[in-house]
Amino acid sequence: LLLVLLLVLLLLVLLLLLLRYRTRLTDIWAGANAAPRSQTPDMGWNSWNHFGGSVSAAVMREATDQFVALGLREAGYVYINSDDEWSELNRSASGRLVPKASFGGEGGMRNLSAYIHARGLKFGLYGAAAQTTCGGSAGGLYHEQAYAQTLREWEVDYFKYDNCGMINIQSYAKYQTFRDALNRTGRHIVYSFEPHQRPHVYAWNKLVGNSWRTGNDIGADYRRIFANLVANNLWAGVTGKGAWGDADMLEVGNPGLS
């Protein structure tokens, strides 16, 4: 009986220690230089659901100007993000990413970043944990450190890392590798990723990034919107400050909704 009581007491002590240091352990696993531990979900604009593959520097500048003019910046919507198809499929001879002509090449990307920052907003880009993105641009798999360094040089503030194929590689391994690459740059970049875990819920996501997709691709259809809302609610137990479930983009302004 005494041995049983001692074991119970030991388990209680271990449980108290775990609860006491849970936040610290999470921060260690997430990385000391991980993207800012967002106190609230990061908000802004993404190009995909309206512009798709026709995104350009001109579109990004127009979105930037509208966010300032409409007061959205003051309301907390501060990220202006280009989704897929901003880059070419092939890298340069030195292995660097090549922005499409619609973005003006590397110089154009630097200019776009400066334009967004000068107006008090933040700059976001998209990539994929595969050899190509879903739209056929260069992916990040096996090029993680060079990719992350390029994001740093362009002063990117937000990075969305999709999952396009390459499902034979465990999701945690792919996304942790890019997290570590971002950490090594020394720049705080909000890290959002797409683990394709539906309908399962895993706790490791909050140890890897600041945001992750919880449902299917959304669309201008109320059935899809509510399906994503339900899926997002399943993750409530593992989300919180610095690590948020992402129900995909808002559909405000797109045709098909009243």
Side-chain angles (χ1 to χ4, degrees), residues 86-251:
W86 59 266
S87 77
E88 300 288 357
L89 170 61
N90 297 316
R91 289 175 167 79
S92 68
S94 61
R96 291 179 62 85
L97 294 163
V98 179
K100 288 185 174 180
S102 58
F103 279 85
E106 282 213 37
M109 195 63 81
R110 294 175 194 273
N111 291 338
L112 175 60
S113 177
Y115 186 93
I116 293 170
H117 289 144
R119 285 149 183 80
L121 295 168
K122 299 181 179 182
F123 179 38
L125 285 177
Y126 163 104
Q131 293 180 303
T132 65
T133 68
C134 298
S137 296
L141 192 65
Y142 309 130
H143 297 271
E144 288 85 358
Q145 197 57 55
Y147 202 129
Q149 187 60 33
T150 299
L151 297 178
R152 181 187 186 282
E153 292 172 9
W154 292 345
E155 297 188 336
V156 170
D157 304 295
Y158 186 109
F159 185 63
K160 173 185 173 182
Y161 206 35
D162 206 346
N163 192 11
C164 304
M166 310 302 288
I167 58 174
N168 58 315
I169 302 175
Q170 209 276 337
S171 291
Y172 180 84
K174 291 195 294 186
Y175 294 117
Q176 178 185 337
T177 298
F178 206 94
R179 178 205 69 190
D180 293 344
L182 288 174
N183 289 348
R184 283 190 289 269
T185 68
R187 181 174 177 81
H188 285 178
I189 300 174
V190 172
Y191 183 34
S192 171
F193 61 99
E194 164 61 285
H196 281 306
Q197 295 171 328
R198 303 172 293 272
H200 306 291
V201 174
Y202 296 102
W204 65 257
N205 296 57
K206 66 181 180 181
L207 306 180
V208 172
N210 302 113
S211 178
W212 60 89
R213 280 281 302 280
T214 57
N216 293 307
D217 288 347
I218 204 167
D221 180 296
Y222 281 116
R223 290 171 298 180
R224 294 169 69 178
I225 292 171
F226 280 104
N228 277 22
L229 173 63
V230 171
N232 202 59
N233 286 341
L234 296 175
W235 290 84
V238 296
T239 61
K241 293 180 179 180
W244 303 99
D246 174 9
D248 207 4
M249 293 166 269
L250 296 175
E251 288 292 330

